[in-house]
Each structure stands twice: as structure tokens, then as C-alpha cells.
């Protein structure tokens, strides 16, 4: 791929020919504010926050969707641009309630950050005349219509990343409306992962923990062999929510319905909490010492009576590498058999 | 997998077979979708089910269930007939090409069409596309392996890839999509009857000596052990006791009536799990263990990338991490096993497992590592077989098509095939415990083809009895064109609709994988 040379804020920048001004600026360490732009999506161009001045063009252009050109000269910050950005933001705030105190997204909201960064006030907010609760296609995700800033990331992600295309923005009488096709939606939650505001939120956890309140733990999803990199948000020893980790090379922030919403089993009241020993056909609760002693005694006895190959072990594709390693070590070194396998085949 | 899954973005053609990728490996499906819609790759789907990705495919082959070797041979026949093979690659890097050519002679499009039901022109189109489009990757899953011919199916796919020079290059590869999250790691760590960690064979004296010394025992068993399915069959006979960690064979084993009976006749069974599963209910002792969110460790995903698992919560009640439980039992049996934490176990893995030699927690905190990664400064190996095959020359296996173990007949005219749906996972022990996924998919649904349904007078939502030689289940029908005529699909996540009571305990002779993907059944409307 050939490259072009341009200047951004007086700095000479070499960029790939097919890159946008935004990408070129980013590669040179120059920050341009954005809202609708998302790394994995084609530029949407709906928020107009990324405006920059380009020599020879009368009006500023959106950096996210304007390709670079050889010899181009770009300015990313000026009083005029700052004014335009503030106006764009104010236009959004005219319909976006600042209900941050009751919003799931507070503290992790791109809009909130921008308002803070650019020092905008929401003087122009107009209460919507009719507050309609728009039900989402699935009971797992909630759509707070008033908070939507119509960036359209959600629909783009559903279409471009997931290939599902359940979300669409339809314009009637100049008003954009998010429509959801319940037949297509699989509740993967990609939409809420990319939503920059609290317009799309998860509707599952009874536990409310903002992202800056809970303990955040980076880990790996337990469901399938993709191994998505995820973050558990934990409060009071319960998982309050799961999100995809955007920095990770594996899933780049994406997840599926199991990974995002399948965490309830962790806190299920059906979890085993104590060893159980069967006596006369019924399980009785037991202490660890009692259970472990019984196991050691029985296994030793069977081993001495029938030989080690009369004992078999199933290790587990759900356990960690370390546990699987230890399990086969146990079967081979302690029991003395190679009868160890797991359900990989099943 | 030979290649990382993001590498599919470099493919110009993608062959997908025996995998409902969108449901079972969503993230890989995302990348395939991106490759096709944004990078102009062409997609070939070869699957009896009309999976979602068929929508964006260039060619869809719909073989009869169980005829994989036939259509793969057919593709290779056409490629060689039209002289589209990568001859230089074949000459330089492989052996067995001449025999393969001989074996393929009879697999003409006409011959293959008779076996598989794939129209000749589709087969030819797919062959030309795969051979000429540029780097081509192949993805497959249990739809390929869960057959009595599973090993042969896999070898045939490898031959196809080698024939076009597609192994060891960017955008190429033969990529099995492993089902459960850490199947790869469980195999890597020696959770197999014939190998220690890192696929070091138990039959080698040198290797046994190395482990015996490190583990401080006089000697280690030299005889290859039994596979899960064989242990199940021998339960109560030569196998007297089983120690089962985190598995639920009563639901997941084929012909599960039989499996449960075997387990019930054991002298002693220990099950270590997070729930009282159907299998745990049969145990003599049940031990409460910890789930992924309650422990530290690593998983290895299907692209061989080793990923950290980190403790976020405390386990409920007296539950313990599996590794502490194993160590405690060992200690009571007179073998001291002391590890201060999971990282100490990884140190031992590093020392004894060449392919994991350089994979430490300290490195994993900073970088992604894909095994083989033998030393602390090795960068890992995202693409296998670059330049040459790990075992030297790549071997073409000449394989003939053989019909499945149990084919439909007058009494059992339908083919039953099993698998997963998007919303659940394996035997449902995790996915069905919460409300979320049950809201989306509350009960088992049998997919039945529209035309069959008409003939059986079954409407969408009716209950049907599905009966095989081994058992019978009652299940709600969903009528669609997702499955072909004569085929029914039932997921195996539901204990109340235990479809594995129907499946056949016929195994692939090499891999010992049961033939879950095909058995003969009859379907009747339930009263
Ligand atoms: S989030 Fe979904 S796709 Fe990712 S690892 Fe978990 S189950 Fe697999
Ligand atoms: S970021 Fe460019 S228009 Fe929104």
C-alpha cells in the first residue's frame, strides 16, 4: 500500500493512502474528539464532532470519513472548530436528558466525557413532549430512547460486526427512529457494548454497580473455544455485569449472548457449597476431612485389590490448564494409570 | 487451529464445513463475516444444515449427512482433473500424491452426486473457487469429527488444503473449531490416555523417565490408557472406580441410558463439580469446586493462544479450587503435592512441556502467547507449518468413502443429528442455571424440514416422539428449512429431553469419537 505525505497542525505525517484524516492524526499522536466513530466500523459521520479544517476547502470536514491526500494541510484545533464542536454537542444535549445520576453508564459515558472536556452546558434541553417507553426486541437489553444521541453505532455494529442486521435507523418526517427486528435479534448485546451513552443498557442484573464502583477483573470467558477476553464487574462478591475487553486481540470487544448474559450460574443458589457423601442412597453433607479421607481410603483399596487400571479419571475441558495438568499428574503418578481422558470428543 | 482466527481476514476463499459457526463460535463467525463483506473473500459452505453464514456464501453444498469423504474427494478430483493443484508445493513438501490421484479417479462429480446429493455443477464451482481464489482457509467442527469416519474426514480436509498449497501460509490453514472453552488446553495438558502434557507419549521410556524423575515416583505406567467412551463401556466391569472432574457424561455420552447404567454399577465414583449434575447424582462422593470466576489459571483457546483466567470472586460456602482438591486427595493417598498457587503449577508445566516452555504468567500479563513457545524469549507460533510441516513431509492420505454406522431404513427412516444452539452450552449445567439464556431458548426444539412435517402432519410447535433403536424422546418441533428433507436436528443441552438416549455408541476407530451426527430414527406426532 502506497503512502502519502500531509501536514497536520504543522506536523509532517506519513499515512497510508487509504487512511482517513482521523487515522493519520491518531498515528501522529494528535487527538481529535469523536463520538460516533468506532475503530471496527466504517465511518458513520453522524456526530460532526471530528470536524477539522483542510486547506483549500471552504468549510470544515469530518476527519473520520475524509480520506487523506498527498500534500494536504490539516488544522485540528481552532476557535472556529471548538465553537462548531460545542454547537454539535449542544444540539445533542437539547434532546438528551442529563439524568446521569440514575444512568448505568455514568462514569463510563463518552457523551459525559465530551461534555466535561468541551465545557458545554445543557441550557437548551427540551423535555420530550411524550415520553414513550420503546421496548427492545429482547428482555435482556433496555433501550432508553431519550438518551439516544443517534450516533448509529449500534446499528452499524449489528450489521457490520455481527452480520445480524437486526437494528436499523428509519427516518420518518425528518425524525430518526431506532427499529429492532425481534426475529433477527439474538441478544448478543454488541449494541450496548458500542453505545457511547446509556441509551442501551443491560436489563438482567438485579445488582446495580457502576463501572467505577465495582471491582473490575480482566479474565477469559468460560463458554466456548473462542476465549473472549472479558471484564467482570464485581460488587459484594457478585458479578454485576460482563463486558468485552476492547484492547484484546482475540475478540476486540465483541461477545455473544452466552458470554455477556450467561453469568447468572456463578451466583446460583444451586451451587454446591459443601462435600456430599451418599449413605443408604441419600446424600448427606460432610466436611472436607471426612470426604477426602473416604476417597483416599476407597481409591487405595480398589487400587490394591484390582490394580491401578481399575481406576479411571475424567479431566475437564472446563477447568484450567493448571488443573488439567495436575489431574493427569494425579492419575499417572498417584494412582498409576493412564486411564485419563476428557470429553473433548463429545 | 493451524492459523489464528483473525488471520481469516487474509483469506481470499473460506471453506466452512460441519460447523454452525454463528451459534457455536460467534467471534470466529464475526471475522468470517468481516472477511467476506469487507475484504472480498468468497465463502463456500458445505453443510447439511442451512446455517446463517449460507446467506453470504458464494456456493452452498448440502451433502447428505455422513458423506463428507465423498464430497471432499470430489473437490480434489475436480481440482486435479482441471490441473489446478499447487504442483510446486506438492512436489516440494508432500508425499503420497500419486496414490491420492489414483484413489480419486472414481470420484467424478457424477459419482459424488449420487452419494452426496450435491449437484455436479455446484461441486465443480466450489472446487474451482477453492483452488483458484488465492489463500484459502478451512474451518470445521464437530459436524466433521463426530462420525465413525471422523478421523478420515479430517485427513481428507488436510489433503484438500495441501493440494492447493494452503497450509503454512497467511490466510490459509485447516482450522478445527474446538467446542468447549478449554478443550485445547485439556488436550495440551495431557488429559488424554496416551500422552503427558505437550503430547509427549507415555509409551516412550525416555519421556516416562523424565516425568518420573520430576514427579519423584519410581515409575510411571507405560500402557496407553482407556478413552472416556471406553471407560464408560467398561464401568462396572474392568473399571471399578471413576474420579470425574467437571464433566457430565450421563448427558453428553452417546446412548446415555447405557452410560448411566455403567456408572451406577461402579464400586466407587467421585464427582467434583459446581452443580449437582445428572452424573454427580450417581456419585458416592460429590466435591464442590470453583467456577472460572473464582480461580486463577489459564485457558488455551482454539487458536492455541494461552489466556489468563483471574479470580474475581470467592467461591460459595466450602467450595474449593479444583487444583486444591486434587492436591488434597493426593496428599491423603500418601503423595505430597504442594503448590502455593496456580502460577507455581505453571512453572512445573514450563519445565516439563517443551511447547509451553516459555509461557509464564509474567509474560501473559504483557503479551499474547500462542504455543509452541519453547523458551522465555520465544515469540510464540501463531501459524503452524510455515516452510515445512512439523513432521517433515506432509502426507496425502488416500481415503475411500464409507457409509455411516447406522443408516435410515424402513423402520427408522429419518437421520437424527445433534448439536448446540446459540443460547446454550453443552449439557446446560451453566447456561441453564440463570434466567437470561432460558428466556431466549427455554426448551429443546427439534428442527424438522417443512416437507417432512407436512407428510407427518406435524405443525410448528407440535410435540413429536423421536424414536431410535435405543430410546425415545418427546420434544417440541420447529418446522423450517434449516435441516434437509429426511433429517432432524435436536440440541443436547436439555436433561429433560436427553437426546443422547437415542444416539449410537459407534466410535471412530482412531479418535474414539462417537457418531453423534448421524443415527436412524422415526418421528411420529405425539399424542
Ligand atoms: S463470549 Fe461467546 S464467543 Fe466469546 S468465548 Fe464466550 S461463548 Fe465464546
Ligand atoms: S466521529 Fe466523525 S462524525 Fe462522528
Amino acid at each position: 500500500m502506497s503512502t502519502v505525505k500531509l501536514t497536520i497542525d504543522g506536523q509532517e505525517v506519513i499515512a497510508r493512502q487509504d487512511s482517513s484524516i482521523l487515522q493519520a492524526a491518531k498515528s501522529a499522536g494528535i487527538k481529535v474528539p469523536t463520538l460516533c466513530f468506532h475503530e471496527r466500523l466504517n465511518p458513520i459521520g453522524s456526530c460532526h464532532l471530528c470536524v477539522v479544517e483542510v486547506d483549500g476547502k471552504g468549510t470544515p470536514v469530518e476527519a473520520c470519513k475524509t480520506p487523506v491526500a498527498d500534500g494536504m494541510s490539516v488544522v485540528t484545533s481552532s476557535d472556529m472548530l471548538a465553537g462548531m464542536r460545542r454547537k454539535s454537542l449542544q444540539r445533542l444535549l437539547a434532546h438528551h436528558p442529563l439524568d446521569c445520576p440514575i444512568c448505568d453508564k455514568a462514569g463510563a459515558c463518552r457523551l459525559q466525557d465530551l461534555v466535561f472536556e468541551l465545557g458545554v452546558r445543557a441550557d437548551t434541553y427540551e423535555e420530550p413532549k411524550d415520553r414513550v417507553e420503546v421496548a427492545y426486541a429482547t428482555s435482556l437489553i433496555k433501550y432508553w430512547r431519550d438518551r439516544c444521541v443517534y450516533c448509529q453505532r449500534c446499528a452499524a455494529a449489528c450489521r457490520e460486526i455481527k452480520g445480524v442486521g437486526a437494528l436499523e435507523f428509519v427516518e420518518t418526517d425528518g425524525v430518526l427512529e431506532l427499529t429492532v427486528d425481534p426475529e433477527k435479534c439474538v441478544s448478543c448485546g454488541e449494541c450496548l457494548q458500542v453505545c457511547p451513552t446509556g441509551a442501551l443498557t443491560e436489563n438482567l442484573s438485579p445488582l446495580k454497580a457502576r463501572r467505577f464502583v465495582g471491582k473490575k477483573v480482566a479474565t477469559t470467558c468460560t463458554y466456548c473455544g473462542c476465549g473472549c477476553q472479558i471484564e467482570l464487574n464485581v460488587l459484594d462478591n457478585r458479578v454485576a455485569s460482563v463486558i468485552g475487553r476492547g484492547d484484546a486481540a482475540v475478540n476486540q470487544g465483541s461477545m455473544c449472548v452466552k458470554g455477556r448474559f450467561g453469568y447468572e450460574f456463578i451466583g446460583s443458589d444451586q451451587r454446591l457449597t459443601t462435600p456430599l457423601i451418599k449413605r443408604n442412597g441419600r446424600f448427606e453433607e460432610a466436611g472436607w476431612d471426612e470426604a477426602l479421607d473416604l476417597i483416599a481410603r476407597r481409591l487405595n483399596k480398589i487400587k490394591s485389590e484390582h490394580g491401578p487400571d481399575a481406576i479411571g479419571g475424567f479431566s475437564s475441558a472446563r477447568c484450567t490448564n493448571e488443573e488439567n495438568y495436575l489431574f493427569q499428574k494425579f492419575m499417572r503418578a498417584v494412582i498409576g494409570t493412564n486411564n485419563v481422558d476428557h470429553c473433548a470428543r463429545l | 487451529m493451524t492459523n489464528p482466527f483473525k488471520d481469516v481476514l487474509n483469506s481470499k476463499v473460506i471453506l466452512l464445513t460441519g460447523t454452525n459457526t454463528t451459534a457455536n463460535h460467534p467471534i470466529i463467525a464475526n471475522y468470517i463475516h468481516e472477511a467476506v463483506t469487507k475484504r472480498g473473500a468468497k465463502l463456500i459452505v458445505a453443510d447439511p444444515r442451512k446455517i446463517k453464514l449460507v446467506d453470504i456464501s458464494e456456493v452452498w453444498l448440502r451433502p447428505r449427512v455422513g458423506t463428507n469423504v465423498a464430497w471432499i474427494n470430489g473437490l480434489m478430483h475436480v481440482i486435479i482433473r482441471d490441473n489446478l493443484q499447487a504442483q510446486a508445493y506438492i512436489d516440494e513438501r508432500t508425499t503420497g500424491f500419486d496414490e491420492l490421484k489414483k484413489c480419486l479417479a472414481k470420484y467424478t462429480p457424477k459419482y459424488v452426486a449420487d452419494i452426496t446429493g450435491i449437484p455436479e455443477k455446484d461441486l465443480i464451482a466450489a472446487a474451482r473457487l477453492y483452488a483458484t481464489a488465492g489463500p484459502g482457509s478451512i474451518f470445521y467442527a464437530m459436524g466433521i469429527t463426530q462420525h465413525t469416519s471422523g478421523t478420515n474426514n479430517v485427513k481428507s480436509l488436510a489433503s484438500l488444503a495441501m493440494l492447493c498449497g494452503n497450509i503454512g501460509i497467511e490466510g490459509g490453514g485447516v482450522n478445527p473449531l474446538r467446542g468447549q472453552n478449554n478443550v485445547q488446553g485439556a488436550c495440551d495438558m495431557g488429559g488424554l490416555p496416551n500422552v503427558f502434557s505437550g503430547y509427549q507419549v507415555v509409551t516412550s521410556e525416555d519421556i516416562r523417565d523424565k516425568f518420573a524423575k520430576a514427579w519423584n515416583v519410581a515409575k510411571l505406567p507405560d500402557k496407553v490408557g482407556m478413552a472416556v467412551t471406553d471407560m464408560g463401556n467398561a464401568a462396572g466391569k474392568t473399571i471399578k472406580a471413576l474420579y470425574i472432574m467437571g464433566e457430565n457424561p450421563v448427558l453428553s455420552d452417546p446412548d446415555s441410558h447405557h452410560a448411566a447404567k455403567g456408572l451406577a454399577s461402579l464400586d466407587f465414583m467421585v464427582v467434583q463439580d459446581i452443580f449437582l449434575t445428572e452424573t454427580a447424582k450417581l456419585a458416592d462422593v460429590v466435591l464442590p469446586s470453583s467456577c472460572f470466576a473464582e480461580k486463577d489459571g489459564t485457558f488455551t483457546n482454539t487458536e492455541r493462544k494461552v489466556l489468563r483466567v483471574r479470580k474475581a470472586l470467592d467461591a460459595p460456602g466450602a467450595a474449593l479450587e479444583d487444583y486444591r482438591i486434587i492436591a488434597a486427595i493426593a496428599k491423603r493417598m500418601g503423595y505430597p503435592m504442594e503448590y502455593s498457587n496456580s502460577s507455581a503449577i505453571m512453572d512445573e508445566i514450563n519445565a516439563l512441556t517443551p511447547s509451553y516452555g516459555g509461557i509464564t504468567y509474567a509474560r501473559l500479563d504483557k503479551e499474547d502467547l500462542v504455543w509452541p513457545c519453547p523458551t522465555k524469549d520465544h515469540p510464540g507460533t501463531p501459524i503452524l507449518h510455515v516452510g515445512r510441516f512439523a513432521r517433515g513431509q506432509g502426507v496425502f492420505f488416500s481415503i475411500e468413502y464409507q457409509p455411516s454406522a447406522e443408516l435410515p431404513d424402513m423402520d427408522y427412516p429419518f437421520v437424527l443429528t445433534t448439536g448446540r444452539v446459540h443460547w446454550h452450552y453443552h449439557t446446560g449445567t451453566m447456561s441453564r442455571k440463570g434466567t437470561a439464556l432460558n428466556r431466549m431458548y427455554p426448551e429443546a426444539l427439534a428442527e424438522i424440514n417443512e416437507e417432512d412435517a407436512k407428510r407427518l402432519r406435524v405443525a410448528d410447535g407440535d410435540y413429536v416422539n423421536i424414536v431410535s433403536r435405543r430410546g425415545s424422546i418427546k420434544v417440541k418441533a420447529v418446522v423450517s428449512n434449516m435441516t434437509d428433507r429426511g433429517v432432524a436436528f435436536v440440541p443436547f443441552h436439555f436433561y429433560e429431553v436427553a437426546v443422547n438416549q437415542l444416539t449410537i455408541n459407534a466410535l471412530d476407530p482412531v479418535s474414539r469419537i462417537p457418531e453423534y451426527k448421524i443415527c436412524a430414527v422415526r418421528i411420529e406426532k405425539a399424542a
Side-chain angles (χ1 to χ4, degrees):
Chain A
M1 176 60 65
S2 46
T3 54
V4 297
K5 216 191 280 172
L6 67 160
T7 43
I8 304 180
D9 295 344
Q11 187 179 329
E12 196 162 277
V13 179
I14 313 255
R16 276 169 59 128
Q17 198 181 11
D18 63 350
S19 53
S20 64
I21 296 178
L22 185 65
Q23 284 165 325
K26 198 176 164 212
S27 72
I30 297 165
K31 245 181 94 187
V32 179
T34 59
L35 177 62
C36 68
F37 177 78
H38 186 278
E39 289 287 341
R40 283 191 79 185
L41 302 171
N42 293 332
I44 302 168
S46 61
C47 75
H48 312 298
L49 279 174
C50 64
V51 282
V52 294
E53 293 177 60
V54 173
D55 240 14
K57 294 205 185 186
T59 44
V61 297
E62 282 96 6
C64 67
K65 59 173 193 184
T66 310
V68 293
D70 209 28
M72 193 181 236
S73 162
V74 179
V75 173
T76 71
S77 60
S78 68
D79 287 348
M80 173 171 73
L81 291 174
M84 287 177 75
R85 287 174 188 150
R86 271 201 298 273
K87 253 217 193 82
S88 296
L89 208 52
Q90 237 139 16
R91 217 175 18 244
L92 298 180
L93 291 181
H95 302 287
H96 182 98
L98 289 182
D99 62 348
C100 308
I102 58 151
C103 178
D104 294 33
K105 213 41 188 281
C109 171
R110 182 72 192 127
L111 187 68
Q112 215 181 32
D113 291 348
L114 280 166
V115 168
F116 189 67
E117 253 169 64
L118 303 183
V120 188
R121 294 175 52 101
D123 314 313
T124 52
Y125 179 64
E126 305 161 19
E127 285 270 342
K129 283 179 244 27
D130 46 341
R131 259 180 210 276
V132 232
E133 268 290 311
V134 183
Y136 208 72
T138 148
S139 63
L140 297 179
I141 302 168
K142 198 161 178 174
Y143 179 49
W144 307 70
R145 188 191 184 207
D146 295 346
R147 292 182 189 155
C148 178
V149 292
Y150 300 92
C151 69
Q152 302 172 42
R153 274 183 179 189
C154 51
C158 186
R159 186 176 58 238
E160 292 176 34
I161 300 177
K162 288 289 164 183
V164 170
L167 302 183
E168 219 182 319
F169 280 88
V170 183
E171 196 175 325
T172 26
D173 304 329
V175 184
L176 268 184
E177 193 74 64
L178 175 63
T179 61
V180 194
D181 183 344
E183 290 290 304
K184 289 187 181 161
C185 174
V186 293
S187 301
C188 67
E190 193 75 10
C191 51
L192 67 91
Q193 173 96 27
V194 298
C195 180
T197 72
L200 289 164
T201 60
E202 69 100 44
N203 192 34
L204 175 63
S205 179
L207 196 69
K208 292 281 167 213
R210 291 229 177 92
R211 303 238 317 114
F212 57 87
V213 176
K215 177 171 84 168
K216 292 188 283 293
V217 182
T219 187
T220 303
C221 174
T222 186
Y223 276 107
C224 82
C226 292
C228 287
Q229 297 300 287
I230 60 174
E231 191 172 283
L232 304 179
N233 192 25
V234 177
L235 192 74
D236 296 338
N237 210 43
R238 307 271 298 189
V239 174
S241 64
V242 182
I243 64 162
R245 256 156 69 199
D247 56 332
V250 177
N251 48 315
Q252 296 187 288
S254 266
M255 283 170 80
C256 75
V257 61
K258 295 184 287 284
R260 191 182 305 277
F261 295 115
Y263 58 82
E264 291 165 285
F265 79 90
I266 300 170
S268 162
D269 55 10
Q270 292 174 49
R271 285 285 301 271
L272 291 169
T273 55
T274 160
L276 303 171
I277 295 177
K278 199 179 269 166
R279 288 196 182 96
N280 305 319
R282 300 243 321 259
F283 281 121
E284 288 172 17
E285 296 193 351
W288 275 108
D289 281 333
E290 193 186 358
L292 294 171
D293 281 340
L294 176 67
I295 294 168
R297 203 169 60 240
R298 296 293 304 269
L299 290 181
N300 271 333
K301 184 150 178 270
I302 290 170
K303 184 175 154 182
S304 64
E305 281 172 11
H306 302 278
D309 287 336
I311 301 175
F314 294 7
S315 65
S316 172
R318 282 183 215 165
C319 291
T320 61
N321 288 332
E322 291 75 3
E323 289 160 343
N324 275 289
Y325 171 83
L326 220 58
F327 190 88
Q328 57 101 30
K329 175 175 176 179
F330 172 81
M331 292 307 295
R332 295 188 157 113
V334 183
I335 303 287
T337 179
N338 284 315
N339 288 342
V340 50
D341 196 7
H342 64 282
C343 295
R345 302 171 177 81
L346 313 183
Chain B
M1 288 172 59
T2 58
N3 291 48
F5 42 73
K6 257 180 96 172
D7 186 49
V8 72
L9 298 176
N10 299 315
S11 301
K12 289 286 165 250
V13 56
I14 302 160
L15 169 62
L16 212 62
T17 179
T19 149
N20 183 3
T21 329
T22 308
N24 297 330
H25 297 90
I27 298 308
I28 297 175
N30 295 166
Y31 287 125
I32 292 172
H33 181 265
E34 187 175 338
V36 173
T37 57
K38 291 194 175 167
R39 312 268 179 130
K42 301 273 189 262
L43 178 64
I44 304 168
V45 176
D47 205 299
R49 294 180 77 210
K50 189 171 185 225
I51 60 166
K52 174 109 187 4
L53 286 167
V54 166
D55 293 350
I56 56 164
S57 68
E58 188 88 0
V59 190
W60 174 34
L61 309 179
R62 186 175 225 180
R64 291 193 184 105
V65 184
T67 62
N68 293 308
V69 169
W71 65 259
I72 302 167
N73 278 351
L75 291 180
M76 292 195 281
H77 174 98
V78 175
I79 290 169
I80 296 175
R81 182 193 75 185
D82 295 356
N83 203 22
L84 301 174
Q85 72 275 24
Q87 199 61 51
Y89 181 98
I90 295 169
D91 294 343
E92 188 193 333
R93 299 187 51 176
T94 69
T95 62
F97 179 64
D98 292 332
E99 295 86 79
L100 177 73
K101 213 164 145 180
K102 255 182 248 138
C103 159
L104 293 176
K106 74 168 190 247
Y107 289 87
T108 61
K110 167 83 183 57
Y111 180 75
V112 171
D114 287 343
I115 300 173
T116 63
I118 296 172
E120 295 179 39
K121 65 168 198 339
D122 291 352
L123 187 84
I124 296 171
R128 293 195 175 143
L129 186 58
Y130 180 74
T132 60
S137 50
I138 298 176
F139 292 85
Y140 68 88
M142 297 303 196
I144 282 292
T145 54
Q146 286 180 346
H147 288 283
T148 43
S149 56
T151 306
N152 285 344
N153 292 342
V154 172
K155 285 182 179 162
S156 298
L157 286 176
S159 292
L160 175 62
M162 286 195 299
L163 191 65
C164 298
N166 273 332
I167 298 185
I169 60 167
E170 260 186 28
V174 182
N175 301 303
L177 303 179
R178 320 291 309 247
Q180 303 183 58
N181 60 320
N182 200 29
V183 178
Q184 183 69 53
C187 294
D188 295 349
M189 290 301 113
L192 293 169
N194 57 337
V195 290
F196 295 103
S197 59
Y199 306 96
Q200 304 176 77
V201 291
V202 297
T203 45
S204 152
E205 198 176 333
D206 289 348
I207 290 171
R208 280 199 314 275
D209 283 349
K210 171 175 108 174
F211 278 93
K213 215 161 117 213
W215 291 348
N216 206 9
V217 290
K219 70 179 195 29
L220 287 166
D222 56 358
K223 196 175 98 223
V224 170
M226 287 170 133
V228 160
T229 31
D230 295 320
M231 283 191 258
N233 288 335
K237 295 174 207 128
T238 53
I239 292 285
K240 304 286 180 202
L242 282 178
Y243 175 15
I244 298 179
M245 167 171 88
E247 298 269 6
N248 191 10
V250 167
L251 269 201
S252 60
D253 272 15
D255 193 359
S256 54
H257 266 326
H258 175 82
K261 235 194 273 153
L263 296 184
S265 60
L266 286 166
D267 287 1
F268 187 62
M269 175 158 88
V270 183
V271 172
Q272 178 170 316
D273 210 312
I274 59 173
F275 289 110
L276 194 64
T277 62
E278 285 67 35
T279 305
K281 286 181 189 149
L282 301 175
D284 296 286
V285 182
V286 178
L287 302 175
S289 67
S290 307
C291 78
F292 82 110
E294 296 149 1
K295 59 192 174 194
D296 282 303
T298 55
F299 288 152
T300 303
N301 76 355
T302 190
E303 53 182 347
R304 290 173 287 110
K305 199 175 269 172
V306 182
L307 302 160
R308 271 304 308 273
V309 174
R310 293 186 183 85
K311 184 176 159 100
L313 312 157
D314 294 323
L320 288 176
E321 288 104 323
D322 292 273
Y323 82 83
R324 288 192 205 279
I325 306 176
I326 302 166
I329 299 176
K331 195 166 161 206
R332 275 164 216 253
M333 290 183 71
Y335 181 93
M337 250 191 206
E338 305 271 352
Y339 298 95
S340 46
N341 50 36
S342 62
S343 156
I345 306 175
M346 188 52 109
D347 293 342
E348 186 173 317
I349 296 171
N350 295 154
L352 290 170
T353 317
S355 52
Y356 276 70
I359 302 180
T360 62
Y361 281 21
R363 284 186 76 186
L364 288 176
D365 280 339
K366 291 192 293 266
E367 57 189 321
D368 279 336
L369 289 173
V370 178
W371 71 260
C373 174
T375 57
K376 302 266 183 294
D377 46 19
H378 191 285
T381 316
I383 303 184
L384 290 181
H385 314 300
V386 177
R388 70 188 281 280
F389 287 94
R391 296 210 170 86
Q393 293 290 93
V395 181
F396 283 110
F397 291 95
S398 305
I399 289 163
E400 298 282 356
Y401 161 72
Q402 278 162 3
S404 301
E406 186 180 75
L407 291 174
D409 55 20
M410 293 285 280
D411 298 332
Y412 298 94
F414 283 89
V415 166
L416 172 73
T417 177
T418 67
R420 302 183 186 176
V421 297
H422 201 133
W423 294 273
H424 290 288
Y425 176 73
H426 222 63
T427 60
T429 46
M430 300 189 302
S431 62
R432 297 191 64 210
K433 282 296 181 313
T435 62
L437 302 169
N438 280 332
R439 275 188 235 170
M440 300 294 123
Y441 195 103
E443 73 171 300
L445 297 174
E447 291 172 7
I448 294 175
N449 178 276
E450 289 161 339
E451 287 180 37
D452 294 333
K454 220 179 279 161
R455 239 176 347 96
L456 295 164
R457 295 177 201 287
V458 169
D460 204 58
D462 282 354
Y463 280 85
V464 293
N465 292 321
I466 302 185
V467 187
S468 83
R469 289 187 173 80
R470 291 154 295 276
S472 149
I473 56 169
K474 184 173 167 184
V475 55
K476 194 191 249 182
V478 45
V479 176
S480 72
N481 60 358
M482 182 82 182
T483 61
D484 207 351
R485 271 168 307 169
V487 181
F489 169 88
V490 179
F492 65 97
H493 313 291
F494 298 85
Y495 62 85
E496 63 283 25
V497 181
V499 68
N500 280 325
Q501 293 181 4
L502 309 185
T503 49
I504 182 167
N505 191 358
L507 307 182
D508 177 281
V510 182
S511 69
R512 315 301 288 167
I513 298 181
E515 184 145 72
Y516 287 113
K517 293 302 180 212
I518 178 165
C519 74
V521 295
R522 75 173 179 261
I523 302 176
E524 49 210 31
K525 194 165 161 171

